Amino acid sequence: MNIKVATKYQINEYLKSIKIFYLVVILVLIFFGVITAVNSSSNFYSTGGIEGSTIIFLFILGLNSFKETFLMMLQNGTTRRSMFIGRLITILATSVFMAVVDRFVVNITLLLNDVSERFRVGGMYEEFFVQRAESLHIVVRNLEAILITIGMYAAVMVAGYLITSAYYRMNKILKIAVSIGVPTSVLILLPVLDAVVFDGRIAVAVSKFLRFVFGGQAGNPYNLLLSCIIFIVVGIGLTWLLIRKSVEKS
Amino acid sequence: MSIEVKNISKSFGSTCALGGVSINLEENRIYGLLGRNGAGKTTLLNIITNRIFADEGEVLVDGLSSMENDEALSKIYMMGEKNYYPDNMKIKEIFRWTKEFYPSFDMDYAKKLADLFELNLNKNVKSLSTGYNSIFKVIIALSVNTAYVLLDEPVLGLDANHRDLFYKLLIEKYSSHPATYVISTHLIEEVSNIIEDVIIIKKGKIIKNETREELMSVGYTVSGMASLVDEFIKGKEVIGTDSIGGLKSAYIMGQIIRTDIPKGLEITKMDLQKLFVQLTNA
């Protein structure tokens, strides 16, 4: 099987974007660091901003992960199965790498917090699970943060990959219907229906569900990790169902 | 050692692209896959290379099913009319990745061919003209050294000089490193002296699968003064004629009876293109 080469190719595809992403992150931090240092009236506060921007970046990366790679694999005699396994390895490797790097960046910026009160950058983990983060030893806290972040990163990449694979299988009309229908239903129709018919009960239920998914009021990060794992498993299953019968569409 | 296509059928909606196609692509032969537009040539090649799936039937590559099988697929390289390489990738990167996917790819030879075709390896795919888009894929096809090389419209957009160079290189390559080449093209006259076997596909069905010699022996061409030719072809199955001034050539189906040939007429082999047109018309 061509899994090794397929993985190497797909990791290589991501590398350039990841390098640019971190260059931008570092430049932004340096820029605001310098501004804060030079101008005594300016402040820079960010909690979870580094991981947040990585999540958005990885979701977009996931969204751009299918068509071009798929055709390249077909051209080079690589099966859908090898390509898919290669992609899963790539997602895992990317998630681990970026979770570690982000934690490193967060720790560096946490050190800067001590230098100036006007420049404060915190990690997403510390933001979500305040009490737990404070109660843990720094090493355990960092390891736990990395573990949870890997889960989140992998989940958003799988989400992007699932969406782009689904779009590839759809015809033009279905693509338009989904692109308009889903946002309209979620952002307009559902809130209106909730307000008019259900008296806000849907919003309460969604809020409860999201609280549970993200660790709840108890502040348990493993709820979030478990939610991510369940999402990843379901997402991988659905994506494979879409990819296994994908064909070139000339 | 061969590619066995067994009873392959494929439909797109209500259109039947292939209907029960069975062929055998033997080791170290050059095949011409000929057919009119929409006859099913590309569909057949796409099924062989696992790019699309057949509704029925199977393809075996050296006894292994080509469907979702890396080992079987590693023995085939297909140069398609459509570009499957990333638009922003440089040609030298494409060569490098081809080497990763096909370890038998000869990088030095590919670079030598790039020089011959004056292909700039630092250009990316989207910046290439139609001709150079074919050229970089042709170079890969000639350098990849797989047992089976499928060429779908390999000379699309190439000027006469580059086409000539390609045919020359193909013959050289075939002589030094024999492999099975399948050339799907509309330029029948140009490939007629290269191909050894002819597969003609019409509306999704194989109507001829013979050696070129066998196929050519079903008819002949007679040339000479128009009046003599007209007299000679009376009562014979004529599939086409060409006239220039007072000279005329007629393409005739059937066996030559040498004693019947009047003086002043010249008999030559059947023109493959004329035969193709006759066989695929209507």
Side-chain angles (χ1 to χ4, degrees):
Chain A
M1 287 169 93
N2 272 355
I3 294 171
K4 196 177 159 189
V5 187
T7 306
K8 190 176 170 183
Y9 178 81
Q10 293 180 85
I11 286 177
N12 197 72
E13 265 185 330
Y14 279 0
L15 269 180
K16 196 176 169 187
S17 307
I18 291 171
K19 280 180 198 166
I20 294 169
F21 171 74
Y22 277 122
L23 184 69
V24 171
V25 167
I26 289 164
L27 287 176
V28 165
L29 287 174
I30 290 171
F31 175 75
F32 284 107
V34 170
I35 293 281
T36 314
V38 171
N39 186 350
S40 58
S41 63
S42 63
N43 303 304
F44 181 72
Y45 300 126
S46 167
T47 44
I50 291 169
E51 293 97 329
S53 43
T54 305
I55 284 172
I56 294 166
F57 166 75
L58 289 177
F59 180 63
I60 294 167
L61 206 61
L63 281 177
N64 288 291
S65 297
F66 185 68
K67 190 180 173 185
E68 202 174 83
T69 315
F70 177 57
L71 295 179
M72 180 68 172
M73 294 296 133
L74 288 185
Q75 176 61 68
N76 286 289
T78 302
T79 57
R80 291 153 186 81
R81 191 174 56 245
S82 294
M83 178 192 75
F84 184 66
I85 295 169
R87 178 60 74 193
L88 297 185
I89 296 169
T90 305
I91 287 174
L92 183 64
T94 307
S95 304
V96 171
F97 174 73
M98 293 189 80
V100 171
V101 172
D102 284 0
R103 186 76 335 224
F104 178 74
V105 175
V106 164
N107 277 304
I108 296 286
T109 49
L110 282 172
L111 289 175
L112 292 175
N113 291 354
D114 298 335
V115 178
S116 169
E117 280 195 351
R118 290 184 295 107
F119 186 85
R120 303 193 73 84
V121 178
M124 189 176 268
Y125 172 83
E126 285 82 1
E127 170 71 7
F128 278 1
F129 311 105
V130 183
Q131 288 174 348
R132 186 175 171 86
E134 284 171 358
S135 69
L136 292 176
H137 184 270
I138 185 167
V139 176
V140 179
R141 190 180 73 208
N142 275 306
L143 287 174
E144 193 171 275
I146 289 172
L147 191 65
I148 306 304
T149 316
I150 291 170
M152 288 195 296
Y153 288 177
V156 292
M157 289 181 88
V158 168
Y161 196 38
L162 171 63
I163 292 168
T164 192
S165 308
Y167 265 76
Y168 185 79
R169 290 292 302 270
M170 291 175 197
N171 60 30
K172 209 171 179 178
I173 296 166
L174 199 56
K175 272 182 198 167
I176 294 168
V178 170
S179 302
I180 297 170
V182 172
T184 309
S185 304
V186 175
L187 301 174
I188 300 169
L189 216 62
L190 195 65
V192 169
L193 202 70
D194 188 30
V196 175
V197 182
F198 295 101
D199 204 20
R201 287 195 296 274
I202 293 177
V204 173
V206 170
S207 166
K208 270 187 184 173
F209 174 72
L210 288 178
R211 261 208 303 277
F212 174 75
V213 166
F214 283 96
Q217 283 151 331
N220 184 359
Y222 293 99
N223 261 28
L224 176 57
L225 185 63
L226 184 65
S227 304
C228 288
I229 291 170
I230 292 169
F231 181 83
I232 290 165
V233 170
V234 173
I236 286 173
L238 291 174
T239 310
W240 174 240
L241 289 177
L242 290 163
I243 286 176
R244 60 194 282 267
K245 291 289 177 191
S246 290
V247 293
E248 73 91 33
K249 290 164 120 183
S250 57
Chain B
M1 302 288 272
S2 64
I3 293 179
E4 291 171 73
V5 176
K6 292 181 170 179
N7 201 29
I8 290 287
S9 295
K10 177 72 183 174
S11 295
F12 296 103
S14 58
T15 309
C16 175
L18 294 174
V21 167
S22 294
I23 49 168
N24 216 15
L25 302 169
E26 298 289 344
E27 180 180 24
N28 302 339
R29 307 279 298 173
I30 301 181
Y31 290 86
L33 179 61
L34 312 177
R36 298 185 67 181
N37 290 328
K41 305 183 295 293
T42 303
T43 302
L44 177 60
L45 297 179
N46 280 340
I47 288 171
I48 291 173
T49 50
N50 191 46
R51 293 179 179 195
I52 60 173
F53 299 114
D55 298 335
E56 281 175 39
E58 64 173 343
V59 177
L60 301 178
V61 181
D62 297 344
L64 299 167
S65 170
S66 75
M67 196 173 137
E68 286 295 277
N69 186 333
D70 283 322
E71 193 186 341
L73 294 170
S74 70
K75 297 166 191 259
I76 312 172
Y77 178 81
M78 176 169 162
M79 178 221 164
E81 190 181 338
K82 200 183 157 202
N83 178 50
Y84 279 36
Y85 293 99
D87 280 345
N88 288 315
M89 195 175 267
K90 287 182 178 174
I91 306 304
K92 64 179 178 187
E93 287 177 61
I94 290 176
F95 283 5
R96 184 168 68 78
W97 282 111
T98 306
K99 178 77 181 165
E100 294 272 356
F101 285 103
Y102 294 99
S104 55
F105 178 76
D106 187 340
M107 184 66 86
D108 292 335
Y109 184 65
K111 284 179 179 169
K112 191 181 139 194
L113 295 190
D115 280 344
L116 280 174
F117 280 104
E118 297 172 350
L119 171 68
N120 183 350
L121 298 181
N122 286 313
K123 280 199 167 187
N124 57 26
V125 175
K126 72 176 174 191
S127 69
L128 297 176
S129 64
T130 310
Y132 274 99
N133 233 298
S134 295
I135 285 171
F136 92 81
K137 290 183 278 185
V138 153
I139 290 174
I140 296 173
L142 290 172
S143 311
V144 76
N145 293 318
T146 51
Y148 305 96
V149 179
L150 314 181
L151 303 159
D152 191 10
E153 293 295 346
V155 294
L156 187 76
L158 265 65
D159 61 35
N161 305 54
H162 281 154
R163 290 205 303 275
D164 196 46
L165 179 59
F166 164 65
Y167 296 129
K168 189 175 145 254
L169 290 167
L170 178 64
I171 293 165
E172 273 177 19
K173 184 74 188 180
Y174 180 66
S175 308
S176 60
H177 293 90
T180 301
Y181 289 91
V182 179
I183 307 170
S184 167
T185 182
H186 289 114
L187 299 176
I188 297 166
E189 276 183 349
E190 290 190 5
V191 295
S192 63
N193 289 325
I194 296 170
I195 56 181
E196 297 171 295
D197 297 86
V198 182
I199 298 167
I200 299 178
I201 186 165
K202 182 182 176 184
K203 292 179 182 170
K205 296 203 182 290
I206 304 292
I207 57 167
K208 287 283 173 196
N209 182 9
E210 297 169 15
T211 65
R212 190 188 58 187
E213 294 307 317
E214 283 170 355
L215 194 62
M216 297 310 216
S217 67
V218 302
Y220 57 96
T221 306
V222 58
S223 309
M225 296 290 289
S227 54
L228 284 173
V229 171
D230 287 338
E231 187 61 31
F232 178 77
I233 62 177
K234 274 181 188 167
K236 293 188 169 63
E237 190 185 347
V238 180
I239 62 170
T241 57
D242 288 324
S243 298
I244 304 170
L247 296 173
K248 190 170 187 176
S249 293
Y251 309 99
I252 300 162
M253 298 292 282
Q255 296 299 315
I256 309 167
I257 303 165
R258 294 276 171 192
T259 50
D260 285 354
I261 302 162
K263 278 187 178 174
L265 287 184
E266 189 186 351
I267 303 292
T268 51
K269 282 183 178 175
M270 171 60 88
D271 180 300
L272 182 60
Q273 180 154 304
K274 290 287 176 194
L275 183 61
F276 170 81
V277 169
Q278 171 66 17
L279 290 170
T280 56
N281 259 341

